[in-house]
Amino acid sequence: MLSPKLATAAPPATRAGEEDATAAARERFKAGVSFFDKKEYEKARLAFLQVYALKKHPAVLLNLAQSELRSAHEADAAKHFAAYLRESKDATDAEQQAAQAGLNAAKLVVAEVSVSVDTEGAEVYVDGTLEALSPLPGPVYLATGTHSVEARKDGRSGATQVNAAAGKQLTANLSLAPAVAPSAAPVATAPAEPAPPAESSMPAEPSPGRKPFFKWLVSSPVGLVGLGLTGVGAGGGIGFALASKNAYSNSDSIANQIKTAAAIDSGLAAPDTTSLCNDPAGWLQNAGYEKAGKTPVLKDRASEYSNACAKYPDNVHKGDTFKTLSTVGFVVGGVAAVGTIVYYFVDPSARESAGAARASRRVVFVPSLAPGQAGLTVLGSF
């Protein structure tokens, strides 16, 4: 993917006492630009994070967001693109357009959450990390999954959970509950007398004339076959279900990559992936992709989209196939289990005399006495 042009002006020095910090920031800034040009985006992200910790300059914020977008930190990228658009007063039209295109691309794979608190000046935490004081300057951006959002002030707090999904816009409304007054110390009371032990009852005997089910199961060839088929069917169903989920996840990942790349190339918030995959070269021309004289040229870029578009239906087909096999596995396991249980009730070899059944479940409770303690000891077979 072609990299956008980075802002190359390092943060300026502001005071004589900050010369060391400024010199370090400029060195890390140059390193970040170098890493980005080499497409080493994770290293560029770390370098720009160090620069921004030293000098919170808008140019650094934009470069940091571009690096985060390309190193799979989309939630952080969306946060910093949005902050750049709010805070940068001297940005050129090209820089604003680049930031907006990056924000649109990041929002395709994260959730945008508007947080409101009924109290001004409350600390707002997302997953335990302080985000800002209420009211927040803008939405928060969250990766897919479940997240906690909490507000605290003066001993009062309010919290909620957010189930984030890619491309969704959500709201989180927090109301601070009154502070809870400390309760009075509990009054000491005499310990209650222990309740007398309940009378024990003997376990229910098996039906007269039939062996216990598990005893029959491990001694009957039919039972062992049914147990094996049940295990194979259930195990296969689980295995194919996991494989199906993985294939569908891969297809979703490829679709998100196509959308993100198309959004960056065209600046569109929601590109038409169907028309793109039908004719990548034509879609890129209609979207204004003009990269003549640079690499990769439009033809190479269209080939990259064609390869990605070809992988998407393959993964969907694999997911459908594994899903069908998973269903078959569970059906086989279920039929085997039901058939084994039914056969237990009709198998002549499962019959046993009532006396033998009682003998096999004989239990004796023997009093156990010792200095300072008393109890019961259970003896017998089950």
Side-chain angles (χ1 to χ4, degrees), residues 129-328:
T129 301
L130 179 62
E131 185 73 21
L133 297 180
S134 62
L136 271 62
V140 296
Y141 298 94
L142 303 178
T144 56
T146 302
H147 302 268
S148 63
V149 182
E150 183 181 8
R152 308 172 191 167
K153 184 178 182 182
D154 299 334
R156 299 184 298 150
S157 64
T160 186
Q161 283 194 333
V162 175
N163 294 320
K168 298 296 184 181
Q169 292 183 337
L170 307 171
T171 58
N173 300 317
L174 300 176
S175 178
L176 300 191
V180 179
S183 58
V187 178
T189 59
E193 290 292 332
E199 295 184 2
S200 60
S201 59
M202 295 290 291
E205 294 185 353
S207 300
R210 189 162 295 279
K211 294 178 181 178
F213 176 75
F214 289 104
K215 181 179 179 181
W216 168 84
L217 183 66
V218 299
S219 62
S220 169
V222 176
L224 292 174
V225 171
L227 181 63
L229 288 175
T230 301
V232 171
I238 294 172
F240 285 122
L242 293 175
S244 174
K245 181 179 179 181
N246 184 61
Y248 285 137
S249 177
N250 289 340
S251 67
D252 291 340
S253 177
I254 293 172
N256 284 333
Q257 291 176 18
I258 293 173
K259 291 180 180 179
T260 301
I264 294 174
D265 286 339
S266 65
L268 300 177
D272 184 355
T273 54
T274 301
S275 60
L276 186 154
C277 288
N278 289 336
D279 183 13
W283 186 90
L284 288 169
Q285 290 176 339
N286 293 334
Y289 185 84
E290 297 175 357
K291 302 292 182 181
K294 300 181 180 181
T295 56
V297 295
L298 186 145
K299 181 179 179 181
D300 296 333
R301 194 72 177 127
S303 177
E304 292 178 7
Y305 278 111
S306 296
N307 292 335
C309 289
K311 294 178 180 178
Y312 174 75
D314 288 344
N315 281 277
V316 173
H317 178 69
K318 289 181 181 178
D320 293 341
T321 301
F322 289 142
K323 182 177 181 181
T324 300
L325 293 175
S326 173
T327 302
V328 172

